[in-house]
Amino acid sequence: MRTHFRVTAATAVVLSVVLTGCGGGDGGDTAAKGPVTVTYWTWDEPKTVQPVADKFNATHDTIRVKVVKQADNPGTAANLRNVVASGKGVPCLVKNFGQVPGLVGEGLLSDVGDEVEPYVRKGVFNEASLLGAQAGGRYYSVPIGYQPSFMVINRKIYDQYGIAVPRTWDDLIEAGKKLKKHGIHVMNLAGEDPSTLENLVQQAGGSWFATEGDTWKVDFLSPESLKAADVVQRLVDNGLVANQTYMDRPALINYFDSGKMVSLPTQVWQLGNYELNYKKSLGDWEPIDLPQFKDAPSFTAPAHGTGLLVPKGCAHPKEAVEAAVWMNTTKEGIDASYQKDIKQYNWPGAIPDPSPWVDSAVPDKLFGDRKGEARKVILKAVEGAKDTWVVGPNYTGVFAELQDQWAKVVTRKMTMRQALAHMQKFTVDDLKSKNINVEG
């Protein structure tokens, strides 16, 4: 079943703004002669986006997509805030740089629910791709989906010490205890990145936020959250994890390649980077199903997706949605994303069946003679994908606070439960300070 939020007057207050799909920006009257121009801002390399836009333009007469390269994620965010505030030069599609509810709360996005819903009813999108494009039960972006989550392990090291492939998180912890005797970490938990905790909460079927009528409900100490916290705590308490930062990417990759850390929760988009940069361990890795909680009723992979943003002030929301859907969900659009140099397509994370494009997502050398196993693992992750993750209206600030608490947890300065209790109070107090109805 798809998750819905009731749209109420109070919810509108929570989201801070009432948004419309019209205004300045891409400019022009939709009734004017010639094709409507949909300007698309992205910091992706042109080779990943421009061919798709070119294919769209070659096959459509009434809409033209114009790709405008942005410098980076922060630059895109700053530029969009400026043009929305001025009402001039507003693009109609923007690569997402934040969580949709928070961006809606800033007054940056247009409600395009009426434009997106017909595609949802037609089954264009997979179920797990929808929630991440919404706020308050309405669409403010076009679903482009999620990356399937699984794990890769250095099978050579596992086999060297006679350690079984982990099927559950308990198995992983036991593997870590055995590997520790040989000076090897079973996983890496970077001090600035609490995404492992978030993913575990989602995999357990939980969320820290929910809505009930016109009230936000906050629960960082739910059974699902505590189940996730227990896994993290045992990994930390037993000294089973490294804390290599993501800030120095070359050093991080070298560490992963060294054989001193042997299990990586990962996603499709990261595989090519591993293949390109690993020198010592290329061919030693094996894709495996993401470990499960031992009492899980069914196989589950967390899958919180995202969407292409439709900014407030976009003059042509209907055309913007049509273009975004075509580029990200049709065979023609996906096929146009093929990059010859890396032999890969952009991952089609929004569609129900990505199987025709799975093989190209798996690099040639990373898994050695286990490459064929990757297809099964990736498709199982797609089939088991579930998104329970509701993002609160103050999540930008909440995440920053969580990063601070997480760093203290992984360095053993506080427990995971203490951090969650702190986050509960912090989040509720912050919402109250913003005059938002909250319970928790």
Side-chain angles (χ1 to χ4, degrees):
M1 294 289 292
R2 190 171 138 222
T3 303
H4 294 269
F5 292 101
R6 288 194 294 156
V7 180
T8 65
T11 301
V13 171
V14 169
L15 297 176
S16 304
V17 289
V18 178
L19 301 175
T20 64
C22 300
D26 268 315
D29 187 341
T30 55
K33 294 181 180 179
V36 166
T37 297
V38 171
T39 301
Y40 176 5
W41 284 8
T42 178
W43 62 89
D44 287 332
E45 290 300 317
K47 66 178 182 177
T48 69
V49 179
Q50 191 62 56
V52 184
D54 291 344
K55 185 67 174 181
F56 179 88
N57 294 338
T59 55
H60 292 76
D61 296 327
T62 59
I63 308 170
R64 178 175 178 79
V65 175
K66 178 183 178 182
V67 178
V68 177
K69 177 73 164 62
Q70 301 291 297
D72 51 27
N73 181 319
T76 304
N79 290 341
L80 185 65
R81 290 184 175 102
N82 289 337
V83 298
V84 169
S86 71
K88 298 178 181 178
V90 179
C92 269
L93 293 173
V94 177
K95 181 173 179 176
N96 200 331
F97 53 82
Q99 295 286 355
V100 168
L103 300 178
V104 171
E106 287 189 59
L108 294 177
L109 304 184
S110 289
D111 182 337
V112 288
D114 291 345
E115 290 79 15
V116 173
E117 284 286 356
Y119 296 103
V120 175
R121 290 193 292 270
K122 290 177 184 176
V124 168
F125 306 110
N126 66 54
E127 201 77 9
S129 71
L130 302 177
L131 191 55
Q134 300 177 35
R138 296 287 291 178
Y139 290 94
Y140 293 86
S141 61
V142 182
I144 58 173
Y146 60 91
Q147 292 269 332
S149 297
F150 50 99
M151 181 172 273
V152 295
I153 63 170
N154 189 321
R155 185 60 185 268
K156 180 180 178 180
I157 302 296
Y158 268 80
D159 288 348
Q160 181 179 339
Y161 297 110
I163 298 171
V165 173
R167 305 300 179 191
T168 67
W169 291 111
D170 288 346
D171 292 343
L172 186 87
I173 290 167
E174 290 306 308
K177 291 177 181 178
K178 296 174 183 177
L179 289 163
K180 182 181 178 182
K181 298 174 184 178
H182 305 285
I184 297 168
H185 289 117
V186 73
M187 271 181 60
N188 183 61
L189 296 179
E192 73 277 5
D193 182 20
S195 62
T196 296
L197 175 65
E198 292 180 319
N199 289 335
L200 284 167
V201 175
Q202 293 176 58
Q203 191 181 21
S207 178
W208 291 325
F209 291 89
T211 56
E212 186 174 296
D214 63 355
T215 300
W216 283 95
K217 302 186 75 173
V218 177
D219 193 358
F220 279 80
L221 295 167
S222 68
E224 296 86 1
S225 192
L226 293 178
K227 182 185 290 189
D230 175 66
V231 171
V232 173
Q233 196 65 60
R234 285 188 286 156
L235 286 167
V236 172
D237 284 348
N238 287 285
L240 309 182
V241 292
N243 303 131
Q244 294 289 319
T245 180
Y246 288 108
M247 301 299 184
D248 186 345
R249 191 72 182 179
L252 181 75
I253 291 294
N254 287 339
Y255 179 70
F256 290 171
D257 190 31
S258 70
K260 296 178 181 178
M261 194 288 305
V262 294
S263 315
L264 273 170
T266 193
Q267 296 176 320
V268 168
W269 69 273
Q270 295 172 308
L271 300 182
N273 189 40
Y274 300 151
E275 167 124 331
L276 181 64
N277 291 288
Y278 285 176
K279 307 301 180 186
K280 300 177 182 177
S281 64
L282 202 61
D284 295 341
W285 295 83
E286 177 180 10
I288 66 169
D289 296 334
L290 193 69
Q292 301 289 294
F293 291 100
K294 64 181 179 181
D295 59 350
S298 61
F299 180 83
T300 302
H304 189 63
T306 186
L308 272 182
L309 306 178
V310 182
K312 182 182 181 183
C314 164
H316 308 295
K318 182 177 183 296
E319 290 83 359
V321 170
E322 180 180 341
V325 170
W326 188 93
M327 289 190 291
N328 289 282
T329 68
T330 67
K331 185 178 186 302
E332 281 184 293
I334 297 166
D335 284 348
S337 73
Y338 186 72
Q339 299 171 57
K340 292 181 180 179
D341 55 344
I342 60 172
K343 301 178 181 179
Q344 289 186 356
Y345 301 87
N346 294 340
W347 178 254
I351 63 175
D353 180 18
S355 59
W357 296 277
V358 170
D359 290 339
S360 76
V362 182
D364 291 331
K365 301 176 183 178
L366 179 65
F367 301 127
D369 59 6
R370 303 183 187 93
K371 179 181 177 180
E373 299 172 23
R375 179 181 180 86
K376 180 177 67 174
V377 168
I378 292 170
L379 290 177
K380 186 174 180 180
V382 171
E383 185 179 352
K386 294 180 179 63
D387 186 8
T388 59
W389 198 243
V390 178
V391 176
N394 62 339
Y395 198 71
T396 300
V398 167
F399 186 79
E401 185 69 16
L402 179 62
Q403 284 180 298
D404 181 65
Q405 300 302 304
W406 174 259
K408 296 175 183 177
V409 170
V410 299
T411 54
R412 303 191 195 184
K413 295 178 181 177
M414 70 188 312
T415 68
M416 193 72 258
R417 187 176 183 117
Q418 287 172 331
L420 290 173
H422 171 87
M423 291 307 305
Q424 178 71 20
K425 184 177 187 306
F426 173 89
T427 304
V428 170
D429 289 349
D430 185 60
L431 288 171
K432 287 179 178 178
S433 74
K434 293 176 169 61
N435 297 315
I436 294 172
N437 290 338
V438 60
E439 180 182 312

